Amino acid sequence: MPEEVIIVRESKNLSGTVNVSGAKNSALKLIAASILGQGESVIHNVPLISDIDIMCKVVERLGGKVTREGHTLRVDTAAVADRETPYELVSKMRASISALGPMVARFGHARVAMPGGCQIGARKIDMHLVGMSVLGVKFEVDHGFLEASAPNGLHGGDIMLEFASVGATENTMMTAVVAQGRTTIENAAREPEIVDLANMLNEMGCKVHGAGNSTIEIEGVSLESLHPCEHTTVGDRIEAGTFLVGGALMGGPLRVEGIDPAFLRMAIIKLKQMGCLVETGEDWIEVRRVGDLKPTDIQTLPHPGFPTDLQAQFMLLCALAKGSSLVTENVFENRFMFAEEIMRMGADVSLDGHHAVVQGVDKLEGAPVSCTDLRGGAALVLAGIAAEGETIIHDIHHIDRGYEDYVGKLAALGANVRRGTLGQSDVWR
Ligand code: UD1
């Protein structure tokens, strides 16, 4: 079968306005949470990306019905039954594990294939299990499946997470909402997507307080009292940050709309340190740059620290800055796969464990490259826009997992980019 690739040529600028889609990392969990509503929940602003298709399939395999009208999903979970979440879906997307909490909450039992997905470091689920165990959930591993059950019912408890894990906070929260009594989650993740999930849970009748802070308190309610709801997904801060990097790289001015600037405070600080002018409004951010890109140091941390999901994009900016930058990855192991690819385009990066020393170069050169993960893939397309000549990007299914119409949005901002079939790169529109 011919391979679909993204073909990019050096472009003059990226400027104009782009609308940000709903947050992938929020919408995925909102779909899973609708299992708790036991009826038809309506979720607006859901991005058209392949990861969402997988989560819809998860709900359908469990017995639910999902219909889509544009960016609105109707997720009817009335007929969801105590079935297993199959390997074929969990192996494609690790976030399928988000069905675990809501299924245990609804049925007192769940059977979920052990996750695979994006190969960024070890990505264990031990903290999900530790948190849920405090609530009375017992786990067994059976032929590659995780079997969870609550033989004595679910009860509230005090949980202290070892690390502010997004997935562990979410699964624990979605289980605790129906556990008898009060649950406290300390060292909880503070990402905006956690707040969005807590808001939807509360709209369904749950009692979650403090989401967005490092202590979340949950007052358990009865499953029967929960009901479906209508909810709008927050904007995707990582998509917004990716386009802002594009504007910073090429000069802009580039404005992203549909995003709360408070979600990207650390990224905005870094853009300013790198010599960009950044303006913000209630739901927009605009970046422009006149002088050279300045080097900076970046270390990824849980929110509100610098997001690991923007590390590759900012490494690209560092690669073209006047001087040397240090990028430190603290959230995931092995998240420097992107570095190997931009080195093939002429970037000067030295890797040492979870540190990358990036010595800025004057120019990148177009080359054939491969997406190794979702965010690195998006950064490679931006690299191609700035690089001399033509860049052909392979394995673009990674990009389709998380960016709605990435190529179309970039082209509307002036990029010389298109999707094509390998062997036809000479056919240029
Ligand atoms: C979510 C996001 C992902 C983002 C990440 C960190 C989704 C679908 N994905 O992933 O885009 O990069 O947050 O912001 O929302 N860990 C353990 N044990 C656990 C859980 C996590 O060791 O039980 C480790 C992981 O291996 C990783 C780190 O903790 O090194 C962070 O993981 P976590 O915050 O849970 O990220 P995800 O929820 O997987």
Side-chain angles (χ1 to χ4, degrees), residues 3-8 316 337-347 364-373 376-385 387-388 390-399 422:
E3 186 199 354
E4 208 186 358
V5 292
I6 293 176
I7 304 153
V8 201
L316 167 64
M337 301 94 78
F338 164 75
E340 314 268 350
E341 293 302 305
I342 45 163
M343 283 191 242
R344 304 188 55 254
M345 296 176 74
L364 294 175
E365 290 168 8
V369 287
S370 294
C371 301
T372 52
D373 70 313
L380 281 176
V381 181
L382 297 181
I385 288 169
E388 256 168 24
E390 185 176 88
T391 296
I392 297 184
I393 298 153
H394 298 260
D395 292 332
I396 61 171
H397 59 93
H398 285 288
I399 296 174
L422 201 62

Side-chain angles (χ1 to χ4, degrees), residues 24-26 28-29 94-95 120-129 163-168 170 189 191 237 302 308-309 330-333 335 375:
K24 166 181 93 75
N25 288 351
S26 213
L28 288 171
K29 323 304 166 60
R94 180 187 152 83
I120 309 173
R123 297 198 87 166
K124 293 182 288 187
I125 56 161
D126 55 318
M127 282 187 264
H128 300 230
L129 310 193
F163 179 88
S165 151
V166 172
E170 290 166 340
E191 272 67 3
R237 65 195 162 100
T308 175
D309 287 350
N330 294 310
V331 178
F332 288 109
E333 301 162 39
R335 208 180 190 177
R375 306 303 171 186

Side-chain angles (χ1 to χ4, degrees), residues 320-341:
L320 287 164
K322 287 267 175 279
S324 170
S325 305
L326 178 65
V327 179
T328 304
E329 174 57 55
N330 294 310
V331 178
F332 288 109
E333 301 162 39
N334 307 335
R335 208 180 190 177
F336 285 141
M337 301 94 78
F338 164 75
E340 314 268 350
E341 293 302 305

Side-chain angles (χ1 to χ4, degrees), residues 243-287:
F243 283 113
L244 289 173
V245 165
L249 189 70
M250 302 304 294
L254 189 152
R255 182 186 285 225
V256 289
E257 286 188 349
I259 189 70
D260 181 344
F263 292 1
L264 279 164
R265 275 168 56 202
M266 192 54 77
I268 290 172
I269 288 171
K270 289 294 158 189
L271 284 173
K272 288 179 177 169
Q273 282 177 5
M274 297 192 83
C276 301
L277 292 169
V278 183
E279 280 180 76
T280 59
E282 201 181 325
D283 71 341
W284 59 266
I285 308 169
E286 187 171 296
V287 68

